[in-house]
Structures are given as structure tokens and as C-alpha cells.
């Protein structure tokens, strides 16, 4: 499981005289957790495009964004994790294109016809759209606009630049602005016009159709559909007038759900229960599905040479890069096979709805009657759990533990109305929805009411500890890099999420009582069971002190707890040894909690208790 953790993040199809090349990056937990860019040649050969020791990641908005692009004619431009600079690889090793210093770069884009790479540059809390010459030289600021920027694009004729921006207190799924500006001869943008979006409309991707019109994924209807938007701001047709999402929450700048393929559009769409891949003819409105048996398609898609590259997964296969012929529909897996256990050990997931709450259930292997279950809570909270093979889940289901992933109110993938069920209700609706699914499994005879735990990371960690102190459903919880006190977190965290709680709980100081009432830290004495906390010591999003203060309160009130910290880890696990240690500790915790033996892992010592 540790070797196969994560999946391909970005893909790019490149047309060459020999055929279509496919590029992607993949995790390497066994190489210190780096992201390596891989190239698959038209003949089928795969090769690492990034030398050993180089890591194509960046820290823009702390979650990072699009970190590389293949160069025409060969080579690569990328951001390197260790120093956050932009590098170019040609015939020789990586050569830096940006100076050392505090700047970070993300959402890399190669504007056609220009010998430069565009990027969003972040220096502390200031973000600008900049151009970095590929031959070296000074960085040029193209546009200074909103506090947050993504999706820079150049019109086909080169006369206009577009981007998407937003300001506090909005998050990008709340409201963004699609901006268009003339591009001067000096490569600097003139005054911009907002052509779509606003405080309550979220544009998440835009691509130029021609010099006068853009295709934009935006949600004035409450669903992310594809719209035609004139350069002058005149809105044209909704090309996909359906209650389906043709976009998703843009947690990282550079995500794509739409790619131009000549006069057609390749689209990733659906709900969090089933994501599809299709090709749309804008002239006729015909949407033809390409996805086959896949239940999930990632937020990255690229088209070239009559083919499309994308990332797919099924209930029995983890995320993999595929190349699809747009004419014949023929699919070919181009990424290397990943190690998998025998299919008999894998769960058969199913989508279910409990009192209006969406969930994906992964039954335990070899258990008859009511089984112990763990409620998995995704992060975000404006994220979602897809229906697909997850080896982390299979690790537990193969040992007799059922898993239910809850896409609670607030989750992306079901339209704005479902997403906004959580508005000002974080710590209430998410907790209630997880409890509803747990009780529903008990009523169906699938789960043992006395043996249900809850676990999650980041915002899912918050819901985990909130559920422990504000409900009596769960026998214990596992919280990874969790928020435990919202008011202190809002003061401590990074700029991107520093106003997130305005929408999730309410603005401060006006709604401080809500923060007090919902804080797991301030109600630790009410915990319904023990808690295992896991945290990276280099986490810039949720400081480890959030976990330390919470376990101190559990200890003060005689509650049982354990805290494991991991040097060198940030917000999430990337190193093989960390993934193994965290999984084994979690299994040992469930063994103690539910009363079964776990001889293959080291015992876990729980502190505290009366």
C-alpha cells in the first residue's frame, strides 16, 4: 500500500511526428516522497524525465499547484520543492530560471509563440501573474490583480490574456472572477474586464475557443457547467445544461476538467459517486462518453493528435494514466502497472444515500452479521471521496473492518446547494451526517453499534474529534493533522484558508460563541472514546500544537489518547516509512478499541485513562 500511495497528478498529451507522447507526474514514497515526472514515448517506452533527487512540487497556497510542463521539441520546465525555483531541463541537467529567494511559482503554462513560461508567483501573501524567460533573464510581471490567481491563458492571436482570480473572504468554490485584459507589446497586461463570475459564481477553468470567445466552467445555475463567454463579457450558451458537475473544487491552481480537441471538447464530469469522461460537440450538443467501466476520472485532462490523456480509476484498479483515441474510443494504459493484492482481497464498494447523505460503503472481508466499521471523513471540508479502489481502505477491509466514506453536506461533487449545506454549520452538519450514516449501517444490520470508529485528516480530522466530543455514536477516533480549535487555527494558519472559517462557522468576532461551542479542544472532557492523533512536524497548514493541546486536554480529563509525530512530513504523508507507521498504528488502535488481535503490527500504547 505504501509503495502505491497516491496517484498521477497532472497529465499532458504532446503531438510529435512519431505520434502522441504522454507526460505525467507520480508519487515516489520510496524515494523520500518526491514527485517524479515521467514521459511515455509513442513507441511505448517509459522514462523518468526528472533526475533522481529532483522533486516537482511547490508550496504556492501551501497545497501547491501545477508544477511542470513539457517543452516543445523536448525538455521540461518545472518547480523544485527544495528551493521553490523554476528550472529547465534540456540536453543537460536542471538549470535554474528564477533567482533564489522567497518566491514560489505554480500553475505553469506555456503561451504559444512565446519563449517563456507563465506562472502564478507567490511572495508571502502577494500573488502575481509573471513570465519567466526560458533562455534566462529577469522575471516580468504580466498582471497584478486579485489576492489569489490561477488559470493564466493567452488568446490564440496573442492579443489578450485571461486568468481567474478571487479575494478574501471567498474561497474559489464560493466566487471567482474570470478576467480578460489586452496584452501589450511589452508583454504586460492592460486594464482587465471581468467577463464572468462574481461573489456567488465560481469559475474554475477557462480556455480560449478563438480570439473572441472563451469556454468557461462556471456555476450560475448551481452546477459547474461549460458556458460560452465573449471577450466582451456577453454570455453565450450553456453547452452542458445538466445537473452534473463539469468541474470541481480547485484546491490546487492548475487543475483541469476540460481540454480542447480541435472543434470538440473533452470533459470530465458527473458527481462524486461517478465521474465520467466524454467528448462534446459544441455545435450539436452531443456528449459521447469515453470512460468505459471507470468510476472515477481525475481533475486533469489533456488532448493532442486526436487522442486524450487522463487519469482513471475503478473499484478494482487505482488511479492510472490512460490514452484514448477520440475516433475509435480505444483505450491504452500508459503508466507502469502498480503492485496490487489479489482481487479476492479487495472490497466491492457501493454508493448509498442515508437520509439525503451520500456515502460509499466498502464491506469487510469474511465477516458475517454486524461488523466493526470505521467512518472515513474526507478533508477540505469542500472535498469529496470518489468511488474507486483505495488500498488504504483495502488494508482495513481485508482485516475484517468495514469502511464507509461519507460525503457529508459541504462536499463538492453534488452541486452548490449540497456544498452550501455546511455554510456556517461546520462542526454540526458534518458531524450529524457522519452519525446518520453510522446509524444507517446499524439499522441495516451491517455495522455493530458498539464497534464504530471515525477517522479523517485535516478538516476530516476536525470532524473526527468534533464527532467524539459532540456525539455518542463513536467508540473512538483517529485524527490525522487535525484542526482541534477553530479560533486559534484561523489565527495560525496560512493565507489561503485564513478566512475560510468566515463561511464555515462565521466571521470573527461577531460569531465567537459558535467557535467556543463547537471547539473540540474546549469540550475534550466529553470525548466518547479514545483518540489517536498523528501529525507531521513540518505542517504549515495545521500546526502540530493543535494536536498537542487536544491530547493535553484529553489527559487532563482522564481520557485515553496517543500522539505520534513525524519529522520531515507536511500536511499529509509522502514518505514510505511514514505511511507504513501511520497505517500500522491505526490498525493497532482499532484492535484495542474493538477487541481483536493485531499480531502483525507493534502494540500501540494509549496514555491517560482513569
Amino acid at each position: 500500500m505504501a509503495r502505491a500511495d497516491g496517484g498521477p497528478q497532472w497529465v499532458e498529451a504532446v503531438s510529435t511526428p512519431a505520434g502522441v507522447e504522454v507526460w505525467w507526474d507520480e508519487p515516489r514514497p520510496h524515494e523520500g516522497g518526491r514527485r517524479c515526472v515521467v514521459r511515455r514515448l509513442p513507441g511505448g517506452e517509459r522514462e523518468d524525465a526528472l533526475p533522481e533527487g529532483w522533486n516537482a512540487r511547490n508550496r504556492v497556497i501551501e497545497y501547491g499547484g501545477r508544477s511542470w510542463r513539457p517543452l516543445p521539441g523536448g525538455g521540461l520546465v518545472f518547480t523544485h520543492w527544495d528551493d521553490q525555483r523554476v528550472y529547465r531541463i534540456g540536453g543537460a541537467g536542471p538549470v535554474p530560471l528564477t533567482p533564489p529567494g522567497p518566491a514560489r511559482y505554480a500553475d505553469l503554462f506555456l503561451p504559444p509563440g512565446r519563449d517563456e513560461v507563465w506562472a502564478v508567483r507567490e511572495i508571502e501573501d502577494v500573488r502575481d501573474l509573471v513570465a519567466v524567460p526560458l533562455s534566462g533573464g529577469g522575471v516580468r510581471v504580466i498582471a497584478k490583480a486579485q489576492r489569489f490567481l490561477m488559470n493564466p491563458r493567452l488568446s490564440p492571436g496573442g492579443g489578450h490574456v485571461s486568468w481567474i482570480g478571487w479575494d478574501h473572504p471567498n474561497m474559489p468554490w464560493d466566487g471567482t472572477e474570470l478576467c480578460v485584459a489586452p496584452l501589450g507589446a511589452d508583454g504586460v497586461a492592460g486594464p482587465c474586464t471581468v467577463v464572468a463570475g462574481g461573489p456567488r459564481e465560481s469559475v474554475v477553468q477557462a480556455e480560449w475557443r478563438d480570439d473572441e470567445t472563451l469556454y468557461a466552467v462556471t456555476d450560475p445555475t448551481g452546477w459547474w457547467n461549460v458556458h460560452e463567454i465573449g471577450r466582451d463579457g456577453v454570455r453565450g450558451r450553456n453547452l452542458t445544461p445538466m445537473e452534473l458537475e463539469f468541474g470541481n473544487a480547485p484546491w490546487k491552481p492548475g487543475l483541469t476538467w476540460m481540454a480542447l480537441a480541435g472543434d470538440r471538447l473533452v470533459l470530465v464530469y458527473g458527481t462524486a459517486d461517478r465521474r465520467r469522461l466524454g467528448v462534446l460537440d459544441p455545435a450539436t450538443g452531443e456528449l459521447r462518453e469515453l470512460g468505459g467501466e471507470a468510476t472515477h476520472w481525475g481533475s486533469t485532462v489533456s488532448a493532442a493528435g486526436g487522442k486524450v490523456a487522463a487519469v482513471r480509476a475503478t473499484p478494482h484498479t487505482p488511479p492510472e494514466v490512460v490514452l484514448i483515441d477520440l475516433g475509435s474510443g480505444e483505450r491504452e494504459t500508459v503508466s507502469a502497472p502498480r503492485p496490487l493484492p489479489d482481487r479476492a482481497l479487495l472490497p466491492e464498494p457501493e454508493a448509498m444515500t442515508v437520509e439525503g447523505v451520500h456515502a460509499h460503503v466498502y464491506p469487510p472481508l469474511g465477516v458475517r452479521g454486524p461488523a466493526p466499521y470505521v467512518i472515513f471523513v474526507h478533508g477540505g471540508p469542500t472535498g469529496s471521496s470518489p468511488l474507486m479502489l483505495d488500498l488504504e481502505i483495502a488494508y482495513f477491509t481485508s482485516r475484517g473492518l468495514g469502511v464507509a466514506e461519507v460525503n457529508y453536506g459541504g462536499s463538492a461533487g453534488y452541486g452548490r446547494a449540497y456544498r452550501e449545506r455546511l455554510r456556517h454549520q461546520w462542526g454540526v452538519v458534518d458531524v450529524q451526517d457522519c452519525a446518520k450514516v453510522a446509524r444507517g449501517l446499524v439499522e441495516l444490520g451491517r455495522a455493530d453499534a458498539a464497534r464504530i470508529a471515525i477517522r479523517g485528516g485535516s478538516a476530516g480530522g476536525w470532524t473526527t474529534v468534533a464527532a467524539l466530543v459532540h456525539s455518542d455514536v463513536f467508540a473512538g477516533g483517529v485524527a490525522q493533522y487535525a484542526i482541534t480549535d477553530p479560533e486559534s487555527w484561523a489565527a495560525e494558519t496560512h493565507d489561503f484558508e485564513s478566512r475560510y472559517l468566515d463561511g464555515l462557522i462565521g466571521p470573527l468576532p461577531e460569531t465567537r460563541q459558535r467557535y467556543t461551542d463547537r471547539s473540540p479542544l474546549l469540550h475534550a472532557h466529553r470525548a466518547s472514546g479514545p483518540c489517536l492523533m498523528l501529525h507531521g512536524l513540518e505542517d504549515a497548514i495545521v500546526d502540530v500544537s493543535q494536536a498537542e493541546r487536544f491530547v493535553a486536554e484529553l489527559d487532563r480529563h482522564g481520557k485515553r489518547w496517543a500522539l505520534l509525530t513525524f519529522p520531515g512530513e507536511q500536511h499529509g504523508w509522502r514518505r514510505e516509512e511514514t505511511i507504513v507507521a501511520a497505517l500500522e498504528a491505526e490498525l493497532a488502535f482499532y484492535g484495542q478499541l474493538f477487541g481483536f488481535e493485531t499480531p502483525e503490527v507493534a502494540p500501540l500504547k494509549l496514555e491517560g485513562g482513569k
Side-chain angles (χ1 to χ4, degrees):
M1 186 269 145
R3 285 289 177 103
D5 180 59
Q9 189 163 241
W10 317 108
V11 298
E12 186 104 3
V14 177
S15 187
T16 74
V20 174
E21 290 183 354
V22 184
W23 298 63
W24 66 92
D25 76 79
E26 62 188 27
R28 298 282 176 87
H30 54 292
E31 296 180 17
R34 77 178 181 118
R35 303 285 309 190
C36 183
V37 181
V38 181
R39 175 190 185 193
R40 194 264 198 176
L41 301 173
E45 303 89 352
R46 282 184 296 268
E47 60 184 26
D48 287 358
L50 203 61
E52 186 176 347
W54 293 86
N55 187 356
R57 287 179 60 206
N58 56 70
R59 294 189 64 160
V60 169
I61 67 167
E62 294 302 340
Y63 291 104
R66 177 81 196 227
S67 56
W68 57 269
R69 291 280 184 178
L71 294 171
L76 178 73
V77 60
F78 70 99
T79 60
H80 180 46
W81 173 258
D82 289 358
D83 58 12
Q84 299 294 303
R85 298 168 74 183
V86 178
Y87 286 78
R88 176 177 183 170
I89 297 178
V95 176
L97 299 179
T98 56
R104 305 168 175 178
Y105 302 84
D107 207 355
L108 273 57
F109 171 71
L110 294 174
R114 304 184 73 97
D115 189 31
E116 57 193 20
V117 58
W118 289 3
V120 174
R121 183 184 67 184
E122 177 181 82
I123 302 178
E124 296 181 345
D125 295 341
V126 176
R127 294 157 198 93
D128 299 318
L129 175 58
V130 301
V132 179
L134 292 173
S135 56
V139 175
R140 180 181 79 254
V141 175
I142 300 170
K144 292 178 175 289
Q146 297 91 339
R147 192 179 186 102
F148 301 97
L149 304 171
M150 63 182 183
N151 196 212
R153 297 292 188 267
L154 180 67
S155 63
H160 289 82
V161 57
S162 64
W163 67 86
I164 295 169
W166 69 98
D167 289 295
H168 282 320
N170 268 351
M171 298 299 283
W173 42 85
D174 297 326
T176 61
E177 296 175 330
L178 173 57
C179 300
V180 173
L183 189 65
D186 57 357
V188 176
C192 74
T193 300
V194 176
V195 299
R200 306 294 296 161
E201 180 184 345
S202 167
V203 188
V204 295
Q205 186 186 351
E207 306 290 342
W208 288 90
R209 184 189 74 184
D210 52 42
D211 281 330
E212 302 299 325
T213 307
L214 297 103
Y215 293 124
V217 180
T218 184
D219 72 342
T221 66
W223 297 84
W224 277 308
N225 289 170
V226 182
H227 295 252
E228 291 177 329
I229 305 291
R231 195 183 76 192
D232 55 3
V234 175
R235 192 182 296 266
R237 298 174 296 159
N238 179 352
L239 300 177
T240 58
M242 312 171 197
E243 292 189 348
L244 294 171
E245 300 281 38
F246 289 77
N248 213 326
W251 277 97
K252 296 181 178 184
L255 299 175
T256 54
W257 303 270
M258 170 177 62
L260 275 66
D263 57 0
R264 295 176 292 174
L265 293 172
V266 180
L267 303 170
V268 174
Y269 66 101
T271 71
D273 294 334
R274 179 72 184 267
R275 299 289 286 172
R276 304 174 186 273
L277 183 74
V279 58
L280 174 73
D281 183 340
T284 65
E286 179 191 3
L287 179 60
R288 176 169 57 93
E289 188 173 349
L290 298 171
E293 75 279 12
T295 53
H296 180 71
W297 291 87
S299 298
T300 179
V301 61
S302 176
K307 297 187 177 183
V308 57
V311 176
R312 75 162 199 165
T314 77
H316 308 111
T317 55
E320 57 189 9
V321 182
V322 295
L323 186 65
I324 303 174
D325 188 289
L326 289 173
S328 67
E330 180 181 353
R331 292 188 300 274
E332 177 188 8
T333 300
V334 298
S335 53
R338 302 171 70 181
L340 290 176
D342 188 280
R343 182 162 171 170
L345 295 174
L346 303 179
E348 294 287 344
E350 60 183 284
M352 65 182 295
T353 304
V354 180
E355 297 181 43
V357 181
H358 299 281
H360 301 147
V361 179
Y362 297 77
L365 183 68
V367 179
R368 294 183 178 180
Y373 258 81
V374 183
I375 300 298
F376 273 40
V377 192
H378 65 71
T382 313
S384 60
S385 296
L387 185 71
M388 56 177 255
L389 174 62
D390 183 332
L391 290 180
E392 185 175 50
I393 290 175
Y395 178 81
F396 295 114
T397 58
S398 64
R399 286 160 172 78
L401 292 168
V403 170
E405 292 184 304
V406 179
N407 282 328
Y408 49 86
S411 301
Y414 303 99
R416 181 179 282 266
Y418 192 80
R419 215 163 58 237
E420 293 194 342
R421 282 188 58 224
L422 202 61
R423 186 165 183 81
H424 295 163
Q425 295 297 311
W426 195 41
V428 179
V429 164
D430 49 329
V431 170
Q432 292 173 348
D433 285 0
C434 289
K436 284 178 183 177
V437 172
R439 292 191 184 103
L441 290 168
V442 171
E443 291 172 3
L444 291 170
R446 301 176 67 165
D448 180 348
R451 295 191 295 166
I452 301 179
I454 186 168
R455 66 93 83 170
S458 191
W462 151 273
T463 301
T464 294
V465 292
L468 282 182
V469 305
H470 294 309
S471 78
D472 58 2
V473 174
F474 302 103
V478 177
Q480 303 176 0
Y481 34 96
I483 299 165
T484 65
D485 182 60
E487 185 168 358
S488 63
W489 177 76
E492 298 164 355
T493 196
H494 60 133
D495 188 46
F496 175 58
E497 293 183 279
S498 62
R499 298 290 301 278
Y500 195 7
L501 297 191
D502 284 31
L504 291 175
I505 299 178
L508 287 167
E510 301 95 306
T511 61
R512 176 165 283 123
Q513 190 59 46
R514 293 181 196 164
Y515 288 72
T516 301
D517 292 344
R518 299 178 196 175
S519 170
L521 176 69
L522 300 180
H523 298 87
H525 62 282
R526 297 171 53 182
S528 59
C531 188
L532 168 62
M533 308 287 289
L534 306 119
H535 219 105
L537 292 179
E538 295 182 10
D539 193 336
I541 294 171
V542 180
D543 191 79
V544 68
S545 62
Q546 289 276 322
E548 293 168 340
R549 294 197 297 265
F550 185 68
V551 299
E553 281 299 292
L554 290 175
D555 193 74
R556 190 165 73 88
H557 293 288
K559 304 293 184 178
R560 291 188 301 155
W561 59 274
L563 171 61
L564 302 181
T565 58
F566 301 100
E569 292 287 7
Q570 297 90 44
H571 200 64
W573 317 138
R574 290 179 173 83
R575 301 182 179 191
E576 181 179 6
E577 59 270 25
T578 305
I579 296 166
V580 170
L583 270 178
E584 293 188 344
E586 188 171 353
L587 179 63
F589 177 80
Y590 295 140
Q592 289 192 52
L593 193 66
F594 297 145
F596 63 86
E597 298 295 324
T598 56
E600 74 269 40
V601 301
L604 175 72
K605 182 182 178 182
L606 291 175
E607 308 287 348
K610 295 182 180 178

